[in-house]
Amino acid sequence: MTDDDVAQGDTGVAPLGGLSAEAVRAALHAMQSGDLPVHGGRTLAYVYDSGLAQADALGLEALAMFAGSNGLDPTAFPSLARMENDLVAMAGAFLDAPEGYAGSVTSGGTESILLAVLAARDGATGVPEGMLPSMVLPSTAHAAFLKAAKFFGVRAVVVEVDPVTLKADVAATEAAIDETTVLLVGSAPSYAHGVIDPISELAAIASAHGIRCHVDACIGGWVLPHLDDVPPWTFAVEGVTSVSVDLHKYAYTPKGVSILLHRTAALRRSHFFASADWPGYTMLNTTMQSTKSGGPLAAAWAVTHRIGVAGYRDLAAQARRATLDLADAVRAVDGLRVVAEPESTLLALATDGSCDVFTLADEMLARGWFVQPQLSYHDLPATLHLTLSAATAPSVPDFVVALQEATSVARKAGPVRVDPALAGLVTSLDPATLDDAGFAALLAAAGLAGDDGGVALPQRMAPINALLDVCPPALREALLTGVLDLLSRPTRS
């Protein structure tokens, strides 16, 4: 008896009339074959791998078990409320949360950041009438804060970081505060460079001005509590009013689960939403979402309880050791340098100009390793971003060999050169007036035009990344938005 025979049994329901189960599975496996691997520790961005197969399997079991549960109404699914409160309690213990704190589980770091900004905006008093509320953030803060600014009408005041440490400039931050400021932001650590902003100083400034201070610990919040010699960044710092931490990163849970903690329940209240002014049920939400599957929440509960505090301490130590070992090895590779001394499990690498990081990324991918190129920003060079998971630790020696080989090949080839005529064309474009015809012509000039009018991505991305690197940020955004638009079109059956 096949799965289809069971599914189409005598249940009073019309039989399934689509593809067979075997055909569906085959199609899924075929589509997935072109994706980056999510296990094995060879993908150093986007995914986080504990290397613990039993924990992974338990998480997937819980994901399926609660996939149909709806987090919209905790009275209908009290199990979800229980699990959410348990996860918030675990995070609170890690982050030195004080008596009376509160938190919410969200779909990911971006939603946690959006809610932190929304809560600061709607909970603020004293912003002059007719003026936009603002937040002050270092230039290395995650782009999700800029997304929040756009969505919620909050003016983002971006302050350049210290050029040596790449951390938030405390004096410049204080100078940027005005009567409209409702929030200061710091990272623990910053995604791009893996360093921790001076949270104590930022929080003290925020407290002195009577405004909130949010710590974005989405990528570090489940690692830093287990490391020694970490500068203060948790609720133990007076003036920190909220902290975000993602569980689908270093808690190694299935995506997507994050937690936003507030120092008090009152600070959380301003991102709650309620509406009884319509004829349906009274809508009541703690987060951006209304209906949400209980699967990711249950998976996070299962994985965190299976690994436990001692397990996370060991996993953090493994990832940290791997980061330091890799940083030491990079210093011996001609042509490469570590951009900033890593303070967590993230590493940023730059070249000495004898090659470029875009070619390095291609060469590493050809050797079975995915590393993430980051384009240049103002005076900061293009870099390679590496996220070290526990599962990567045993393979650091192999990674170093591949990196040495890739760097040698890239140095022999030299940096990718953008055709001056093409560079002149793209830098002369006005993103605000770039229409469909102009975009199509640009795709063709860049070698990205597909035969069907869509986008044809090349095997090697170095020439494309080098072209994007010479574009001003606004044009880069317009070009990539156009590419995403063409990639996100319905397919014909």
Side-chain angles (χ1 to χ4, degrees), residues 87-395:
L87 288 172
V88 168
M90 182 180 288
F94 283 163
L95 305 181
D96 302 311
E99 190 72 26
Y101 78 97
S104 298
V105 173
T106 74
S107 63
T110 293
E111 187 180 8
S112 289
I113 288 170
L114 289 173
L115 291 173
V117 175
L118 180 62
R121 186 198 73 176
D122 288 357
T125 58
V127 176
E129 186 175 352
M131 299 183 71
L132 286 178
S134 66
M135 58 179 166
V136 179
L137 57 152
S139 58
T140 51
H142 197 280
F145 288 99
L146 303 181
K147 189 175 189 177
K150 178 179 179 179
F151 282 8
F152 301 142
V154 175
R155 184 168 54 92
V157 181
V158 179
V159 177
E160 294 300 328
V161 296
D162 183 285
V164 176
T165 66
L166 302 181
K167 299 182 180 186
D169 184 323
V170 175
T173 297
E174 184 162 27
I177 295 173
D178 63 21
E179 58 189 340
T180 69
T181 307
V182 299
L183 181 67
L184 292 190
V185 173
S187 303
S190 62
Y191 181 87
H193 304 121
V195 295
I196 300 172
D197 286 327
I199 301 301
S200 294
E201 291 88 339
L202 294 176
I205 293 170
S207 182
H209 287 267
I211 55 181
R212 301 193 191 198
C213 177
H214 179 75
V215 177
D216 171 18
C218 287
I219 202 165
W222 221 259
V223 170
L224 296 176
H226 309 296
L227 304 182
D228 297 325
D229 302 321
V230 175
W233 61 277
T234 67
F235 285 107
V237 177
E238 289 296 327
V240 169
T241 54
S242 58
V243 179
S244 52
V245 53
D246 290 357
L247 302 193
H248 59 220
K249 291 187 170 74
Y250 284 102
Y252 299 110
T253 74
K255 298 181 184 299
V257 182
S258 176
I259 296 178
L260 173 62
L261 295 184
H262 296 272
R263 183 174 286 273
T264 68
L267 293 173
R268 179 180 64 166
R269 189 68 58 81
S270 50
H271 71 62
F272 279 20
F273 177 81
S275 179
D277 195 15
W278 76 300
Y281 66 94
T282 297
M283 189 175 182
L284 182 63
N285 309 132
T286 61
T287 64
M288 303 289 290
Q289 296 176 296
S290 294
T291 288
K292 50 188 176 183
S293 170
L297 174 66
W301 191 94
V303 171
T304 54
H305 282 73
R306 180 69 180 93
I307 294 177
V309 176
Y312 282 119
R313 187 180 304 115
D314 291 342
L315 292 172
Q318 293 173 36
R320 175 64 173 162
R321 185 71 259 161
T323 306
L324 296 177
D325 289 347
L326 183 52
D328 287 342
V330 166
R331 295 184 179 96
V333 179
D334 288 340
L336 293 185
R337 65 181 177 88
V338 176
V339 174
E341 192 64 32
E343 294 186 297
S344 182
T345 53
L346 311 180
L347 199 59
L349 311 181
T351 74
D352 62 1
S354 62
C355 57
D356 63 84
V357 297
F358 311 127
T359 301
L360 277 177
D362 284 346
E363 291 294 334
M364 289 298 289
L365 188 59
R367 289 162 175 78
W369 298 91
F370 177 82
V371 292
Q372 185 180 53
Q374 299 181 139
L375 304 183
S376 59
Y377 174 82
H378 294 186
D379 294 331
L380 300 177
T383 57
L384 279 185
H385 170 92
L386 312 179
T387 296
L388 280 295
S389 295
T392 309
S395 302

Side-chain angles (χ1 to χ4, degrees), residues 404-416:
Q404 290 170 332
E405 294 174 353
T407 306
S408 177
V409 172
R411 280 163 63 86
K412 289 177 181 176
V416 172

